[in-house]
Amino acid sequence: MEDNSESYVSLDEGGRSSTTENFTKVSIVPLVFLIFYEVSGGPFGVEDTVRAAGPFLALLGFLIFPFIWSVPEALVTAELGTLFPQNGGYVIWVASALGPYWGFQVGWMKWLSGVIDNALYPVLFLDYLKSTIPILADGFPRMIAILVLTFTLTYVNYRGMTLVGWVAILLGVFSLLPFSVMGIISIPKINPSRWFMVNFKNVDWGLYFNVLFWNLNYWDSISPLAGEVENPGSTLPKALFCALILVILGYFIPLLVGTGAVFVPLEREQWRDGYFSDIAKIIAGVWLRAWIQGASALSNMGMFLAEMSSDSFQLLGMAELGMLPSIFGKRSKYGTPAIGILFSATGVILLSWLSFQEIVAAENFLYCFGMMLEFISFVKLRIEQPHDIRPYKVPLGTIGAVLICIPPTLLIFVVLALSSIKILGLGVLALLVGLLIQPCLRYSQRKQWFRFSETTSQRQGILF
């Protein structure tokens, strides 16, 4: 890793780190696939919606929920991401609207939620392979496989955003292609009446909402990378729109095929993560199952890479803003935040023992609180700073800005209300830790135990 003699990174008048000019920016096509992997990565993991609620509600959920959650979150991300086109993303949005204390809190919640989310991908990776390689189902071999996978993907992240972006494109194409093939083969075998099967008396609403929410959120996760994007004012909104279409189709079409094909059993208990590989075998044979298993493995690698990039650059952005010690702002010779990557990878390893359902519920709980702060900040900035230059602006007035935040906020309360006692306790504990870390860091800054960056805004007394 390159030795940076400067102890901390400062921001120029435009809010962009002076160090980013030396590194290649991410263009629109890699950005689309990075967003795709931040949010989705393909239909791997949606099987639990069928187990929780049956075919009709699963399909209905992936038709309606994008308009309740994904579209509003993507619109907010496009506007605020272009208003503040620098690393740190939502941390800067909330800090600008509500002050540095709450900016730090949203950073803590989103980083921890992201690390928990990233712990899921090695689990999903092995779940898709365990039917072919049973030794990976549990025990010591599974633990070793998780460690090897985590270290390998962490190294790819360390090598730079350009590599991560183009790897995401290749993985995305390979991951989606087998589902297109499966859809074409299954057309003569589709019975549309199967799509309308529902039993409202036997619905696991907690699992249903959690899986839907998990599969359709994280649109704002690309914002901590805004400083690495080429011409973010126009590139970011276009990439978000393209990724939105890709994500919705990537979920809905495989669900149509899997629930509509006449030879696929609809026993709901069989619909667990990894079941699409069994569906592929039923529809086309072992060769398609092997392809989907390989696609799942690569998709989980793509999601891991995208999430770790977001998490680590968020820490870098917070360091550039003076919220974290300046060591988090140092870059490797590849332009990547080495310390942020190390911290994020360590969190992934520590949390990888949790089950799929526990990981989804825990990250959703933390993510909900962070999103509430973002929606409040979006509306507050619209009201108090209406004349700020926004390269992209949601084509609605102040009242419209409030209205688009109401449906996702109501969904947040539903997800929180359905949390188990265990998840509720762990979530509240995590929130309390964040409330204590920020004043401790400020105290260490006053005592000069660590070095912190001094931004232009801090020197002028504007933001921090």
Side-chain angles (χ1 to χ4, degrees), residues 5 26 28 37 42 49 53 77 93 143 153 177 213 229 231 249 278 295 299 346 385 391 410 413 425 436 446 448 452:
S5 57
V26 179
I28 185 168
Y37 275 119
T49 57
T77 299
W93 311 344
M143 186 192 324
L153 297 178
L177 196 55
F213 188 71
V229 175
N231 192 16
L249 292 178
D278 294 330
S299 175
T346 301
Q385 302 178 32
L410 293 176
F413 287 118
L436 294 174
R446 290 194 297 271
Q448 297 184 341
F452 287 77

Side-chain angles (χ1 to χ4, degrees), residues 111-112 115-116 118-119 146-147 150-151 154 304 308 311 315 328 338-353:
W111 178 80
L112 186 56
V115 170
I116 295 172
N118 231 8
I146 288 174
L147 290 175
T150 301
F151 286 133
T154 298
F304 188 103
M308 181 164 285
D311 295 341
L315 297 181
F328 285 93
I339 301 299
I341 289 173
L342 180 62
F343 262 69
S344 299
T346 301
V348 168
I349 292 172
L350 292 176
L351 292 167
S352 59
W353 56 272

Side-chain angles (χ1 to χ4, degrees), residues 76-328:
V76 169
T77 299
E79 178 169 321
L80 295 183
T82 56
L83 178 60
F84 301 101
Q86 63 196 85
N87 295 328
Y90 36 72
V91 175
I92 302 171
W93 311 344
V94 175
S96 299
L98 305 176
Y101 183 81
W102 291 108
F104 180 89
Q105 297 310 317
V106 77
W108 163 252
M109 293 178 215
K110 289 301 188 71
W111 178 80
L112 186 56
S113 173
V115 170
I116 295 172
D117 179 61
N118 231 8
L120 178 63
Y121 303 127
V123 173
L124 283 175
F125 171 80
L126 295 178
D127 282 345
Y128 264 85
L129 292 184
K130 66 186 180 184
S131 61
T132 303
I133 312 175
I135 195 174
L136 297 178
D138 51 36
F140 186 71
R142 185 180 180 91
M143 186 192 324
I144 294 298
I146 288 174
L147 290 175
V148 170
L149 182 63
T150 301
F151 286 133
T152 302
L153 297 178
T154 298
Y155 178 71
V156 174
N157 264 107
Y158 172 73
R159 287 299 301 268
M161 282 304 302
T162 301
L163 177 62
V164 170
W166 287 106
V167 168
I169 294 174
L170 296 174
L171 296 181
V173 172
F174 185 81
S175 298
L176 292 174
L177 196 55
F179 289 97
S180 301
V181 173
M182 187 169 73
I184 294 171
I185 294 174
S186 68
I187 290 174
K189 306 173 184 178
I190 294 295
N191 178 4
S193 65
R194 290 163 57 96
W195 297 332
F196 299 96
M197 296 177 63
V198 62
N199 181 2
F200 288 102
K201 296 180 181 180
N202 183 25
V203 177
D204 185 343
W205 293 108
L207 178 61
Y208 176 70
F209 280 109
N210 267 312
V211 175
L212 277 174
F213 188 71
W214 172 68
N215 278 288
L216 292 168
N217 64 14
Y218 277 81
W219 294 94
D220 64 335
S221 292
I222 200 63
S223 65
L225 301 171
E228 311 303 309
V229 175
E230 181 182 288
N231 192 16
S234 62
T235 302
L236 185 59
K238 293 175 184 176
L240 282 163
F241 175 77
C242 294
L244 182 66
I245 302 301
L246 193 61
V247 166
I248 294 174
L249 292 178
Y251 286 144
F252 196 70
I253 292 175
L255 274 176
L256 280 176
V257 172
T259 57
V262 293
F263 299 122
V264 177
L266 279 180
E267 287 84 358
R268 283 167 45 179
E269 279 305 309
Q270 296 185 31
W271 283 77
R272 298 176 181 269
D273 53 288
Y275 190 56
F276 270 122
S277 62
D278 294 330
I279 293 174
K281 181 182 177 182
I282 294 170
I283 291 175
V286 176
W287 66 272
L288 188 57
R289 182 181 72 170
W291 191 358
I292 284 186
Q293 286 179 333
S296 168
L298 294 181
S299 175
N300 283 286
M301 291 180 185
M303 288 186 283
F304 188 103
L305 290 172
E307 184 63 57
M308 181 164 285
S309 295
S310 176
D311 295 341
S312 57
F313 272 99
Q314 180 198 316
L315 297 181
L316 179 143
M318 293 175 73
E320 290 180 339
L321 292 164
M323 291 184 173
L324 291 176
S326 58
I327 190 172
F328 285 93

Side-chain angles (χ1 to χ4, degrees), residues 49-62:
T49 57
V50 179
R51 178 164 69 92
F56 178 72
L57 288 179
L59 291 166
L60 188 66
F62 283 103

